[in-house]
Amino acid sequence: QVQLVESGGGLAQPGGSLRLSCAASRSSFNIFAMDWYRQAPGKQRELVAGVASDGSTNYVDSVKGRFTISRDNAKNTVSLQMNSLKPEDTAVYYCHAKARKFGNEFDFWGQGTQVTVSS
C-alpha cells in the first residue's frame, strides 16, 4: 500500500496564498502520477492539477495561472502552490497517486485537507 500524508491548507483571504504538500510512503509500488483533487460541498470531486513522472503537468482551467504543481520524484512528494485564491477555491483538497505493481495499476488517496478562502 501507499500512504499519502497531506499538510498545509487552512484559511486564506481572497487574493492570498496557501501551499499544500503530500508525501507518499516508501513502498514497492511504482508511482507514475500524482495529482491534487478537490471537492466542494454539494459538488463532485474534480481534478485540480496533475504531474507525471516526466514532469509534464495539467491543470483545470479555473486554476491555470494561479496554481502550480510540483513534484520531487526522489522523495515521492507533490506540492500545490495556490496563489490569488478565490472563494470558489474553497474545498477539501485530496492528494492522489497512481501506481503500478506487477503490471496492475492502483489508486491511492490522502485523507484530505480543508482549504477555506474567505474574508
Side-chain angles (χ1 to χ4, degrees), residues 50-72:
V51 57
S53 54
D54 64 359
S56 58
T57 59
N58 61 284
Y59 298 90
V60 67
D61 285 346
S62 60
V63 308
K64 285 180 180 177
R66 300 188 298 121
F67 291 10
T68 302
I69 190 170
S70 58
R71 178 177 174 180
D72 185 329

Side-chain angles (χ1 to χ4, degrees), residues 88-104:
E88 50 263 43
D89 294 319
T90 296
V92 178
Y93 284 69
Y94 297 90
C95 180
H96 168 257
K98 289 188 73 71
R100 289 192 188 95
K101 186 175 181 180
F102 302 134
N104 296 314

Side-chain angles (χ1 to χ4, degrees), residues 62-89:
S62 60
V63 308
K64 285 180 180 177
R66 300 188 298 121
F67 291 10
T68 302
I69 190 170
S70 58
R71 178 177 174 180
D72 185 329
N73 288 332
K75 296 181 179 179
N76 265 348
T77 59
V78 63
S79 297
L80 185 68
Q81 179 65 41
M82 305 184 292
N83 298 329
S84 301
L85 284 163
K86 302 177 180 180
E88 50 263 43
D89 294 319

Side-chain angles (χ1 to χ4, degrees), residues 3 5 9 15 22 26 28 36 39 44 46 52 56 59 72 89 118-119:
Q3 307 241 341
V5 179
C22 173
R26 290 181 176 271
S28 57
W36 286 97
Q39 187 166 21
Q44 289 189 332
E46 67 169 350
S56 58
Y59 298 90
D72 185 329
D89 294 319
S118 175
S119 55

